[in-house]
């Protein structure tokens, strides 16, 4: 029975792997082909591997015909800022909820959990109205002034997404499993809350930090609705709205697949780099998929 169960699990996981990997293989393979080569063998297995006449022409075209390098740089800045700031901010809140004792802690935790079921579309319009009124320092004619509105900037795509309810809950669940005896021993040596957080909790939270980094990076990298709402120019535009702009300029499916491949590779690289920590965090925090 155990052998049969393992075989069935292996078959099920293999089937799921084929379902998820096949579109990626087709996308990458098509990015090296011409328009005719993509559709000439689309019904055969050769559609999922580069052809004999493969080339980098599609990649040369997307970098020469679009502002992809600028879009990639903007998305890299946004995603890295959200990851670094989000890990610090969400872990601090989770530490305060889990390891400190203060009035209203349970109410705040309940509010964070309630936010898990609120989609971004619900708060998009109120958030847009808020950032339209917020001031931001700017230099005009050599003088520092405050301008109203955060539109057409990178910070409008970073600051609203630093706090993440799911990441707070993820950190909270992981911090609960860290023995309280570590806190007590550190307090006996005169450690305060900041020392407990920075010297005790965070060094023992590598798996959940990696998981939160993956979650925040993917969310920031895949931003589409919000940049369309707050960014009208191309100076602060990230890669996802840039895809829509490129689709309107090119009808070549080879170039479209090349663009999609370039945009997808950073997400795959980040996940593959932290996949072991991600699995360890999911198992350690008691979250079942």
């Amino acid at each position: 029975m155990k052998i049969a169960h393992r075989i069935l699990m292996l078959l099920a996981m293999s089937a799921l792997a084929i379902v998820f990997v096949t579109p990626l293989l087709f996308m990458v393979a098509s990015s090296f082909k011409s328009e005719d080569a993509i559709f000439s063998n689309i019904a055969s297995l050769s559609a999922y591997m580069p052809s004999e006449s493969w080339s980098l022409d599609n990649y040369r075209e997307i970098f020469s015909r679009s502002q992809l390098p600028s879009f990639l740089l903007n998305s890299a800045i946004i995603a890295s800022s959200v990851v670094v700031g989000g890990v610090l901010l969400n872990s601090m809140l989770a530490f305060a909820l889990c390891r400190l004792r203060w009035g209203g802690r349970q109410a705040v935790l309940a509010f964070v959990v309630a936010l898990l079921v609120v989609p971004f579309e619900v708060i998009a319009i109120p958030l847009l109205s808020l950032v339209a009124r917020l001031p931001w320092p700017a230099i005009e004619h050599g003088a520092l002034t405050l301008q109203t509105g955060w539109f057409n900037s990178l910070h409008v795509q970073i600051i609203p997404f630093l706090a993440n309810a799911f990441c707070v809950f993820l950190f909270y669940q992981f911090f609960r499993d860290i023995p309280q005896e570590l806190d007590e021993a550190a307090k006996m040596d005169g450690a305060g809350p900041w020392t407990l957080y920075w010297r005790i909790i965070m060094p023992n939270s590598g798996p959940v930090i990696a998981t939160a980094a993956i979650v925040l990076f993917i969310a920031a990298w895949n931003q589409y609705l919000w940049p369309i709402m707050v960014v009208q120019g191309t100076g602060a535009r990230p890669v996802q709205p840039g895809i829509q702009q490129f689709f309107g300029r090119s009808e070549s499916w080879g170039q479209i697949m090349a663009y999609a491949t370039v945009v997808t590779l950073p997400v795959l690289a980040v996940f593959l780099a932290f996949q072991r920590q991600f699995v360890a965090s999911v198992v350690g925090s008691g979250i079942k998929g």
Side-chain angles (χ1 to χ4, degrees):
M1 293 297 295
K2 291 183 178 180
I3 295 177
H5 181 264
R6 291 181 179 179
I7 293 175
L8 290 176
M9 288 295 296
L10 181 60
L11 291 176
M13 289 187 292
S14 300
L16 287 175
I18 292 174
V19 170
F20 285 103
V21 173
T22 299
L24 295 177
L25 290 178
F26 179 78
M27 177 185 68
V28 175
S30 299
S31 67
F32 294 100
K33 300 177 182 179
S34 63
E35 188 86 6
D36 296 334
I38 293 175
F39 294 99
S40 62
N41 59 358
I42 195 171
S44 64
L45 290 177
S46 58
Y48 301 96
M49 57 188 68
S51 61
E52 296 179 356
S53 59
W54 71 277
S55 68
L56 298 175
D57 292 341
N58 292 325
Y59 289 92
R60 296 190 187 98
E61 288 293 326
I62 63 174
F63 280 98
S64 62
R65 296 182 55 187
S66 68
Q67 295 178 289
L68 181 57
S70 175
F71 297 159
L72 287 173
L73 178 61
N74 291 336
S75 288
I77 294 174
I78 293 169
S80 59
S81 300
V82 169
V83 168
V84 174
V87 166
L88 290 175
L89 182 64
N90 296 311
S91 62
M92 287 180 183
L93 177 55
F95 172 79
L97 292 173
C98 182
R99 316 296 284 201
L100 303 181
R101 297 294 179 264
W102 45 278
R105 180 171 59 93
Q106 294 299 326
V108 174
L109 178 61
F111 179 73
V112 170
V113 174
L115 288 177
L116 293 175
V117 299
V118 179
F120 175 74
E121 290 76 10
V122 174
I123 64 172
I125 300 303
L127 183 60
L128 180 67
S129 177
L130 175 63
V131 298
R133 295 178 173 85
L134 291 177
W136 189 261
I139 299 178
E140 294 182 0
H141 306 293
L144 181 63
T145 60
L146 287 178
Q147 63 180 13
T148 302
W150 287 8
F151 294 140
N152 297 314
S153 63
L154 294 178
H155 57 267
V156 74
Q157 304 172 72
I158 297 173
I159 296 177
F161 301 96
L162 294 178
N164 186 291
F166 176 75
C167 289
V168 173
F169 184 72
L170 195 66
F171 276 111
Y172 177 84
Q173 288 290 93
F174 193 90
F175 289 169
R176 286 178 58 187
D177 295 332
I178 298 178
Q180 292 282 349
E181 288 77 7
L182 295 176
D183 296 18
E184 296 173 0
K187 290 178 181 178
M188 292 180 62
D189 292 335
W194 175 254
T195 303
L196 291 176
Y197 166 78
W198 195 250
R199 297 284 187 88
I200 305 298
I201 300 300
M202 293 303 285
N204 291 284
S205 304
V208 72
I209 291 175
T211 304
I214 293 175
V215 171
L216 292 169
F217 181 87
I218 293 176
W221 188 268
N222 291 334
Q223 282 187 17
Y224 180 78
L225 175 62
W226 182 247
I228 288 180
M229 297 173 63
V230 298
V231 177
Q232 287 75 41
T234 59
R237 181 171 296 170
V239 290
Q240 298 300 339
I243 292 180
Q244 182 188 34
Q245 179 184 358
F246 184 76
F247 284 176
R249 295 181 178 180
S250 175
E251 297 180 356
S252 171
W253 280 102
Q255 296 178 18
I256 293 173
M257 292 299 179
Y259 198 116
T261 300
V262 172
V263 173
T264 305
L265 286 179
V267 178
L268 292 177
V270 170
F271 181 79
L272 292 176
F274 297 105
Q275 61 174 335
R276 290 186 178 181
Q277 294 88 341
F278 179 81
V279 174
S281 175
V282 171
V283 174
S285 58
I287 297 178
K288 305 299 182 182

